[in-house]
Structures are given as C-alpha cells and as structure tokens.
Amino acid sequence: MAAHTLHVEAQKWQSQGNELIVAAKKMALLMAEMSRLVRGEGGSKRDLIDCAKRIAKESEEVTRLSKEVAMKCTDKRMRTTLLQVCEKIPTVATQLKILSTVKATMLGAHALGPDGEVDPEGTKEDVEATEMLIGNAQNLMHAVKETVRAAEAASIRIRTDSGLMMRWARKLPWYMA
C-alpha cells in the first residue's frame, strides 16, 4: 500500500530532468519488493535486510536532492517547510533498517514451541514485527511523498541562474494521451 501511494505520486511527473522523481520511483519499486519479501513470496532474510538498506540509500538521495532544492529556494517559508519535511526521512529510514533486521532474524524463529508444536505466541510476535515494519514503511513513503510535493512547490521559487535544473513536467492523464 505504501509503495503504491508513492508510486502514484511519482507517476504524476516525468522522470526526465528530475532526479528527485527518479529516486522516489526507485524507492517505490524497492518498497514493493520489500512488501513481497515480508509476505514470504520468495527471497531470504538477507534479501529483506539488503532491500531495506537499498531503500535507506535511496532515501538519502531524496534527502540530499530536496535539501539542494531548499538551499536554492528564495522563499524563506517554502524553504523551511521543505527542510522540515525532509528532516523526517533519515530518522524513519534508519528505523526501517533496524526493524527489517529484527524482522528478518525473527522470521520463523519462534514458530515452534519446546515440544515441537506450533507456538501461537511465536506467530503473534512475527505478526507484530510485520505490523511495525509495515507502519514504518508507510511513514517513510508518506515523508517522501510530502517531500516531493514540497520540493515541487519550492522549485517554483528558484532563480534560473542558481545552477539547479529540476524539470517538473506533469504527465498527461491516460484519457488525454
């Protein structure tokens, strides 16, 4: 769900000439991959951890690019808003890496009780870990979506001679294409 909402937001814009949109689209695809891994549809624990690390890496790129836009923005209020929004991303991305590592180590670790039977508490812990991971992923995608919107608004107030070129071109809706 989180991957889908970010993907829908990023799909509104053309990627060409806009590195921020490219990074947001990569994050949405990686988040969809992580969702597949969490559901147990292939992959290993290592794949889950690696996917979280790649998402965190892309989130660093989104943060870097949005800060670059903010520093070039001439409107103080828009700059402040963009910096506040993108400030959330590194914290939530770090939490995602930690939670995915914990989730990966817990996967199936508590499924069997001491007598060899399925332990319902173990599966409850797995469910809780999955819910925390999903909640964190949704928070990260929401922060990135807000950052994309704030960066688009702030980019209107960037001087053309600042050296920053970021093209914000909306895609045509499907019924007009």
Side-chain angles (χ1 to χ4, degrees):
M1 182 65 169
H4 180 71
T5 56
L6 179 62
H7 185 70
V8 167
E9 181 67 28
Q11 282 299 107
K12 293 178 184 177
W13 304 101
Q14 291 182 4
S15 307
Q16 189 176 14
N18 193 328
E19 293 177 48
L20 186 60
I21 294 299
V22 171
K25 285 181 179 179
K26 282 182 188 175
M27 281 189 74
L29 292 173
L30 287 169
M31 195 56 71
E33 173 68 12
M34 177 177 257
S35 175
R36 186 184 67 77
L37 292 169
V38 167
R39 286 191 311 263
E41 298 173 4
S44 65
K45 295 176 183 183
R46 170 74 20 221
D47 293 336
L48 180 63
I49 295 168
D50 289 342
C51 188
K53 286 179 181 177
R54 290 194 320 261
I55 290 170
K57 186 84 170 151
E58 282 304 318
S59 70
E60 289 172 9
E61 182 69 5
V62 168
T63 303
R64 183 189 67 78
L65 292 167
S66 58
K67 283 182 179 180
E68 191 176 326
V69 169
M71 291 303 120
K72 301 285 183 174
C73 180
T74 58
D75 187 301
K76 192 175 188 177
R77 194 168 11 128
M78 287 182 175
R79 179 184 325 132
T80 303
T81 301
L82 178 55
L83 288 172
Q84 286 174 341
V85 170
C86 80
E87 204 172 76
K88 299 175 194 174
I89 295 173
T91 305
V92 180
T94 301
Q95 291 172 354
L96 181 68
K97 283 196 297 190
I98 294 167
L99 285 172
S100 65
T101 304
V102 169
K103 167 69 176 157
T105 57
M106 288 179 67
L107 276 173
H110 301 288
L112 296 178
D115 57 353
E117 295 296 317
V118 175
D119 183 9
E121 285 186 29
T123 56
K124 181 182 174 189
E125 289 175 356
D126 279 351
V127 169
E128 286 176 4
T130 301
E131 286 173 358
M132 285 193 306
L133 189 62
I134 290 168
N136 183 268
Q138 288 173 337
N139 289 341
L140 181 59
M141 292 300 113
H142 182 71
V144 171
K145 190 167 87 169
E146 282 183 38
T147 301
V148 167
R149 288 179 177 171
E152 188 263 333
S155 68
I156 293 170
R157 295 292 193 162
I158 294 176
R159 294 177 47 98
T160 55
D161 62 354
S162 71
L164 180 66
M165 293 293 297
M166 192 168 282
R167 185 170 170 251
W168 291 91
R170 283 208 182 261
K171 285 186 175 178
L172 286 176
W174 62 271
Y175 54 84
M176 296 180 76

